[in-house]
Amino acid sequence: MSDPARPPVTGPAPGPAPGPAPGSGRVSELGRVLRLDARRTALLVAVPLLAGLGAVTAWLSLVPGVGYWDNSVVALGDAVRLLGPVAAALAAWAALRERRLDHVRDLSPRSPATGALHDLMLLSGAALVAHAGVTAVIVAETLSRHEAGRPHPLGPSAGAAALVLHVVAGYLAGRVAPRAATPVAVGLAAVAWSSLRAPGGSWVGLLPPAVFGRVGLFTQLRTGVLADQVVWAAGLTAVLVLGYVAWVTRRALPLLPLAVAVGLVVVATFRLESADGRAVAAVPVEHVCREWPLTVCVHPALREALPSLTTAVTPLATRLTGTPGEFARVEQRPPTEPARVAGGVAVVHLGDELTPGYEARAVRQIRDGLVVARTCPVPAAGYRALVDAWLVGEALPALPDAHAVRRFGAWNEDRRRAWLRAHFAAYRTCSLRAADFRPGRSRVRVPRTKKAAPVRTRPDDR
């Protein structure tokens, strides 16, 4: 028991409960803002939507059956022309949704521009992830075919820079003009920018996202144009971001890099304008060939045409043997070179893809290249059509001179070839006449085996 006479022992008077450290409230608010920033409904929607739309658009833009790297870049550009308006509208919509976090962001020890920059980083990252998925699909499709040309790293880079530019422009439009109609207006403006420019027009069509059109097999995209597009899109993106930061923070620090970015945009614009709308240039190509029974050479992207093309042109080459139009080599050339037969080489054009009937078209090109006359008189034109049909294996046409058709149709293959060797000059100059098909004029020597002379016996030998 305690002694009642003893005074109670007392300690120091209890003070107030310890509070949070100075600044800890702002740190907790900063963490809350970062957690809220990371929860992005727009990101969950943007990545699969952009990747799906871009993959479908790029796939449809590929040339059927041809794996040409330059056209793969064009397909990626077509995808960006569709993804850009969608990404810009989504970014503007995200900017409107994220404005409700501004009152929380104001409590954190951050710059007023930090929240917008963080949003731009997340949205741009989502767009780049979607673009990378589309690029992977196109690369895999190109590699699965007989790819030709060479990959252009600047091609996907130009598309990615243009896509980020759309995201930045759309988001900042939503921040500056927070209206419900802003996402729609941004999307429509981006659609107009992408669709109102035609390929092969003025240099404006080269501004990102560029409008290239299909690249021919004997041409390639100009690397300098792709580099200028990357600089233009990246520079304009920097101009928009730095301008917004300077406007929000009211500081002069971003003005120097802003001036540098403006200078880059101006230089890239002048370089694209000097290109005069020409995004492609001719390039020498090493053919791939099949050596037997004829030497047939095509562009590497069309190498699967070699077997059927060889089969199609061999009968024509056989019928022309011994004439000035005979050939032992067939080469696919650019459309700028005329189809002709000279020096034993037949030049043909196959186009940029193997559409049905390309073999027959190539055979007709060789046949038409045999004739040097620009105009063909009416009577001679009919006789030429008669010979033309035989050369390409078609049915003989009906002519007013039925006797010539009947006689020519009755000859066997060897006699027709011998007749063509004798009358090739008249056929080539389109000067065949009815007399050329008459029995007296058409009688030609057909090589045949000599028969042994019979052995004559004398009467004494009987």
Side-chain angles (χ1 to χ4, degrees):
M1 295 182 61
S2 60
D3 189 358
R6 190 175 181 178
V9 179
T10 60
S24 60
R26 290 192 173 186
V27 173
S28 63
E29 292 294 342
L30 175 59
R32 179 186 174 189
V33 170
L34 292 177
R35 288 193 299 271
L36 290 174
D37 284 348
R39 298 171 185 175
R40 288 287 188 270
T41 306
L43 300 181
L44 301 178
V45 174
V47 174
L49 178 62
L50 295 178
L53 289 176
V56 172
T57 304
W59 190 281
L60 295 176
S61 299
L62 291 173
V63 180
V66 178
Y68 195 39
W69 284 109
D70 291 77
N71 278 319
S72 299
V73 173
V74 172
L76 284 175
D78 292 341
V80 171
R81 291 174 61 195
L82 175 65
L83 295 184
V86 178
L90 284 175
W93 172 67
L96 296 181
R97 289 176 55 87
E98 301 308 322
R99 283 187 64 85
R100 61 187 181 182
L101 295 178
D102 287 347
H103 68 284
V104 181
R105 286 168 171 165
D106 292 339
L107 300 176
S108 62
R110 301 195 299 180
S111 169
T114 305
L117 295 178
H118 192 227
D119 291 342
L120 286 175
M121 181 184 64
L122 293 176
L123 293 171
S124 300
L128 291 177
V129 169
H131 186 267
V134 177
T135 303
V137 171
I138 298 304
V139 170
E141 170 64 13
T142 306
L143 290 175
S144 66
R145 303 187 181 276
H146 298 295
E147 77 275 6
R150 58 186 181 87
H152 288 281
L154 287 175
S157 301
L163 188 59
V164 172
L165 174 60
H166 280 82
V167 170
V168 171
Y171 180 85
L172 294 182
R175 297 288 298 184
V176 174
R179 301 290 185 271
T182 299
V184 178
V186 167
L188 292 177
V191 168
W193 172 249
S194 297
S195 60
L196 294 182
R197 298 174 297 158
S202 67
W203 64 273
V204 180
L206 299 181
L207 297 177
V211 185
F212 285 125
R214 185 171 294 183
V215 180
L217 290 182
F218 292 90
T219 59
Q220 68 176 6
L221 292 171
R222 299 170 63 185
T223 306
V225 171
L226 296 176
D228 292 335
Q229 290 173 350
V230 173
V231 173
W232 192 90
L236 188 55
T237 301
V239 169
L240 293 177
V241 172
L242 293 173
Y244 178 79
V245 171
W247 176 63
V248 171
T249 60
R250 300 295 192 272
R251 294 182 179 180
L253 183 62
L255 295 182
L256 179 60
L258 176 61
V260 175
V262 171
L264 291 176
V265 173
V266 171
V267 171
T269 301
F270 276 109
R271 287 179 57 87
L272 290 174
E273 191 273 339
S274 64
D276 197 22
R278 294 180 293 105
V280 298
V283 59
V285 174
E286 184 176 353
H287 292 82
V288 292
C289 301
R290 183 171 180 171
E291 302 293 340
W292 190 89
L294 297 174
T295 301
V296 181
C297 302
V298 298
H299 191 279
L302 303 182
R303 68 185 68 192
E304 59 186 44
L306 286 173
S308 57
L309 186 60
T310 303
T311 303
V313 301
T314 298
L316 177 59
T318 303
R319 289 165 182 157
L320 292 172
T321 301
T323 69
E326 68 177 343
F327 61 92
R329 182 182 179 90
V330 179
E331 287 188 4
Q332 178 194 6
R333 298 282 182 84
T336 54
E337 297 188 28
R340 66 186 186 277
V341 180
V345 179
V347 175
V348 297
H349 304 144
L350 297 182
D352 298 335
E353 58 180 293
L354 300 179
T355 55
Y358 69 90
E359 308 97 330
R361 288 193 295 271
V363 173
R364 288 194 294 269
Q365 289 173 11
I366 299 174
R367 178 202 63 187
D368 296 341
L370 298 172
V371 179
V372 296
R374 294 184 178 181
T375 60
C376 196
V378 175
Y383 296 122
R384 176 196 167 186
L386 181 63
V387 181
D388 285 347
W390 164 64
L391 287 177
V392 298
E394 298 176 352
L396 300 182
L399 300 179
D401 190 352
H403 298 288
V405 178
R406 184 171 59 253
R407 283 192 294 269
F408 191 78
W411 296 342
N412 60 23
E413 190 72 13
D414 290 335
R415 188 167 184 178
R416 290 179 182 177
R417 295 176 189 173
W419 177 92
L420 182 61
R421 289 193 292 270
H423 298 84
F424 187 80
Y427 166 75
R428 189 167 194 172
T429 57
C430 204
S431 58
L432 289 173
R433 300 175 298 169
D436 295 326
F437 294 89
R438 292 173 183 171
R441 298 292 302 273
S442 61
R443 187 173 299 159
V444 294
R445 290 188 176 183
V446 179
R448 53 183 179 179
T449 305
K450 293 183 178 181
K451 295 183 179 180
V455 179
R456 302 182 65 181
T457 58
R458 293 180 297 176
D460 298 341
D461 296 335
R462 289 180 181 176

